[in-house]
């Protein structure tokens, strides 16, 4: 005999809201949200149009440029960022193999998407991180929001984004930015807060204004930590590319999604390899650049 057979029903059955009430509440919220979006659809379109232009321009630039030029530019950026010949050779070999596998154009599309997402995340993340570093109250408000953004399942981001912006590259881009921007904000805040108080007191003693302290002292000293934030943002953008392909983002993520749908193991593996190769290139380059900045700061400031 089960225990609930002898106990009152209200103890064994949780007092949940009825399905009818939940259905009505859900319908009211969804209808209200859709009506709100329809009311401001022209403003929303005007706001996202510059993103569409920028993304299309960068995508065309990467895809239509001759591959030797793109490869040389990438190798040059990696070398001047890392000053490491092994990372540079590894980049050249990885990109060459990706091209041999017939994934060059899809890789360029993905690179354009990650580049735009990273730039937007930096433009949004650094000012918010600075505000958090300058005010404990702002930090206490924004921290819970960042917690929600980082713990929310990545697929859930797509629902409001699709409801507001529809299907396409820009909605995917917005979802990727929302997913990737929290580390940029957190590490900017952390880097500025970790600046030595004695250095700030010395800046105060020389009569520096708040802007001068930020520009000449806090930001340069926080740069290695900010670079770590950029590194994390790039990694999270690449991780989100496959999920964002569900709403119309092309490139390697779309290929992986099609491979999952059709159970094409080899296609999925090769496109996954290309994503991993890009992630390693970005990771090693940004880490090496961050270490160089750290050494440079230590030499200057002792």
């Amino acid at each position: 005999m089960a225990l609930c057979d002898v106990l009152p029903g209200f103890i064994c059955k949780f007092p949940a809201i009825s399905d009818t009430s939940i259905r009505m509440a859900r319908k009211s919220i969804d209808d209200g949200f859709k009506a709100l979006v329809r009311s401001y659809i022209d403003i929303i379109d005007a706001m996202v149009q510059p993103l569409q232009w920028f993304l299309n321009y960068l995508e065309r630039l990467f895809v239509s440029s001759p591959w030797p030029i793109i490869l040389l530019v990438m190798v040059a950026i990696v070398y001047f960022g890392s000053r490491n010949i092994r990372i540079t050779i590894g980049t050249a070999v990885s990109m060459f193999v990706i091209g041999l596998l017939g994934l060059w154009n899809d890789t360029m599309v993905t690179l354009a998407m990650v580049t735009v997402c990273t730039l937007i995340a930096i433009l949004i993340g650094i000012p918010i991180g600075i505000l958090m570093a300058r005010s404990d109250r702002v930090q206490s408000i924004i921290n819970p929001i960042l917690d929600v953004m980082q713990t929310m399942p990545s697929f859930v981001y797509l629902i409001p984004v699709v409801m507001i912006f529809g299907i396409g590259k820009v909605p995917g881009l917005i979802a990727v930015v929302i997913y990737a921007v929290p580390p940029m904000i957190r590490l900017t805040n952390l880097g500025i807060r970790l600046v030595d108080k004695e250095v700030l007191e010395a800046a105060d003693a020389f009569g520096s204004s708040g802007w001068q302290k930020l520009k000449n002292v806090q930001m340069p000293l926080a740069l290695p930590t900010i670079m770590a934030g950029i590194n994390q943002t790039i990694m999270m953008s690449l991780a989100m590319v496959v999920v964002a392909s569900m709403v119309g983002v092309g490139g390697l993520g779309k290929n992986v999604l099609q491979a999952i749908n059709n159970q094409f193991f080899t296609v999925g593996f090769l496109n996954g390899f290309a994503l991993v190769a890009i992630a390693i290139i970005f990771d090693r380059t940004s880490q090496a650049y961050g270490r160089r900045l750290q050494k440079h700061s230590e030499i200057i400031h002792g």
Side-chain angles (χ1 to χ4, degrees):
M1 178 183 291
L3 185 59
C4 284
D5 291 340
V6 296
L7 291 175
F10 71 91
I11 293 179
C12 293
K13 187 177 179 183
F14 199 90
I17 301 171
S18 69
D19 290 344
T20 306
S21 300
I22 291 176
R23 198 180 306 116
M24 288 176 64
R26 193 174 61 219
K27 188 174 183 309
S28 302
I29 293 170
D30 287 349
D31 290 347
F33 191 71
K34 287 176 185 173
L36 184 69
V37 171
R38 285 193 199 101
S39 304
Y40 295 98
I41 191 66
D42 293 336
I43 298 173
I44 292 170
D45 285 343
M47 286 171 64
V48 299
Q49 200 61 47
L51 290 177
Q52 182 82 56
W53 290 335
F54 185 38
L55 182 60
N56 288 343
Y57 168 76
L58 210 61
E59 199 174 293
R60 278 198 302 273
L61 179 68
F62 284 3
V63 172
S64 61
S65 298
W67 69 268
I69 293 176
I70 295 289
L71 187 58
L72 282 175
V73 170
M74 275 195 72
V75 168
I77 291 172
V78 169
Y79 177 72
F80 286 110
S82 65
R83 298 292 172 87
N84 186 313
I85 196 68
R86 290 170 59 190
I87 297 175
T88 308
I89 293 173
T91 300
V93 171
S94 300
M95 294 304 296
F96 199 74
V97 172
I98 286 171
L100 285 178
L101 295 173
L103 299 173
W104 184 265
N105 282 353
D106 291 323
T107 304
M108 292 300 107
V109 172
T110 302
L111 277 180
M113 169 65 73
V114 172
T115 303
V116 175
C117 290
T118 305
L119 290 175
I120 294 172
I122 291 171
L123 289 175
I124 295 172
I126 288 182
I128 296 176
I130 292 171
L131 282 175
M132 288 176 69
R134 296 172 80 92
S135 167
D136 289 338
R137 180 173 293 180
V138 173
Q139 180 178 249
S140 66
I141 294 170
I142 294 178
N143 259 340
I145 299 172
L146 296 179
D147 291 340
V148 172
M149 290 169 73
Q150 289 191 290
T151 53
M152 184 81 76
S154 52
F155 285 96
V156 178
Y157 286 121
L158 299 179
I159 300 170
V161 169
V162 169
M163 287 181 75
I164 296 172
F165 302 104
I167 300 289
K169 287 186 284 188
V170 171
L173 184 148
I174 292 169
V176 174
V177 170
I178 293 171
Y179 183 72
V181 77
M184 189 72 249
I185 298 172
R186 285 191 194 277
L187 288 170
T188 302
N189 173 34
L190 180 67
I192 293 175
R193 283 180 180 270
L194 287 179
V195 172
D196 196 336
K197 286 189 170 50
E198 290 181 3
V199 177
L200 295 177
E201 287 170 4
D204 287 332
F206 282 101
S208 300
S209 65
W211 168 248
Q212 286 171 328
K213 275 195 299 184
L214 177 68
K215 184 169 70 74
N216 299 325
V217 180
Q218 290 173 307
M219 288 301 287
L221 289 175
L223 210 48
T225 312
I226 294 173
M227 276 305 301
I230 293 173
N231 174 285
Q232 290 299 306
T233 297
I234 294 170
M235 295 300 109
M236 294 181 74
S237 298
L238 282 167
M240 187 69 179
V241 160
V242 176
V243 177
S245 65
M246 295 174 67
V247 296
V249 173
L252 299 170
K254 182 182 174 186
N255 294 348
V256 172
L257 186 66
Q258 288 175 344
I260 293 170
N261 289 335
N262 297 296
Q263 300 179 14
F264 292 154
F265 170 75
T266 309
V267 174
F269 178 80
L270 292 178
N271 283 274
F273 158 76
L275 280 170
V276 170
I278 296 171
I280 291 173
I281 291 168
F282 279 125
D283 181 61
R284 298 296 183 271
T285 306
S286 56
Q287 278 191 22
Y289 186 64
R291 282 196 295 272
R292 285 178 51 217
L293 285 175
Q294 186 77 49
K295 286 181 184 174
H296 184 67
S297 300
E298 286 172 1
I299 291 170
I300 290 178
H301 300 281

